[in-house]
Amino acid sequence: LPFQEYVEQLLEPPHPGRLGSDTLYPPGDNNFTEWGPLFPPYVPPPFRIPGTGPPYSFGIAGSGSGVPFPPHGPGYSEVIFGRKRWFLYPPDKTPHFHPNETTLAWLHHTYPSLPLAERPLECTLPPPEVLYFPDRWWHAPPNLDTSVFISTFLP
């Protein structure tokens, strides 16, 4: 997808009927052919496992967009521009969400009716802050603004 089309299509707030999996975030893909020129000036967080080269996920996304509760390995998320609101559940506390629902739809329809004991941990991440997400923690990080971000996945 040409970058101009990406910007025109995906920086728009998500349509209510959009599927939660309808995203073009390239998770953990170090494609040095396409993205190589972006890596030399980037200084990743100084937290890594010695002797490993972590994969990155670079994203530019519009307000209200975000992936719905993917559980995966540990990593860091860094906001370069804009803000992200983070919702986190530990591995043993599966969130109430439909996998085809967007994070924005979950935030509007499910979140308000959750009892306090079932609500996730949450925070807002502005630039240049970094958030660590532990191994297998459920997380939903909707963008509050048009955002530029990089996630570092630890092997």
Side-chain angles (χ1 to χ4, degrees):
L1 181 68
F3 185 68
Q4 182 174 344
E5 286 181 41
Y6 178 91
V7 170
E8 289 170 356
Q9 291 176 20
L10 296 176
L11 291 188
E12 294 285 325
H15 184 274
R18 179 190 254 173
L19 296 177
S21 61
D22 185 15
T23 176
L24 288 179
Y25 297 168
D29 180 13
N30 283 355
N31 184 332
F32 288 103
T33 302
E34 291 185 57
W35 300 102
L38 295 175
F39 288 118
Y42 174 63
V43 178
F47 319 105
R48 63 174 64 113
I49 298 170
T52 65
Y56 301 116
S57 176
F58 171 76
I60 300 172
S63 175
S65 63
V67 294
F69 292 106
H72 49 65
Y76 297 91
S77 182
E78 180 177 8
V79 175
I80 308 299
F81 179 84
R83 297 172 300 147
K84 292 176 89 63
R85 185 172 177 186
W86 279 77
F87 299 97
L88 299 131
Y89 284 102
D92 61 345
K93 193 172 181 182
T94 304
H96 299 282
F97 78 101
H98 189 283
N100 286 332
E101 185 178 57
T102 65
T103 303
L104 188 60
W106 174 86
L107 183 59
H108 286 279
H109 303 133
T110 305
Y111 178 79
S113 63
L114 290 174
L116 287 178
E118 293 181 27
R119 290 209 171 175
L121 299 171
E122 59 182 276
C123 66
T124 298
L125 195 66
E129 293 187 10
V130 176
L131 177 118
Y132 170 73
F133 48 90
D135 190 24
R136 296 182 326 232
W137 275 56
W138 301 90
H139 54 279
N143 297 293
L144 295 177
D145 311 302
T146 296
S147 299
V148 177
F149 51 91
I150 296 177
S151 293
T152 302
F153 295 94
L154 300 175

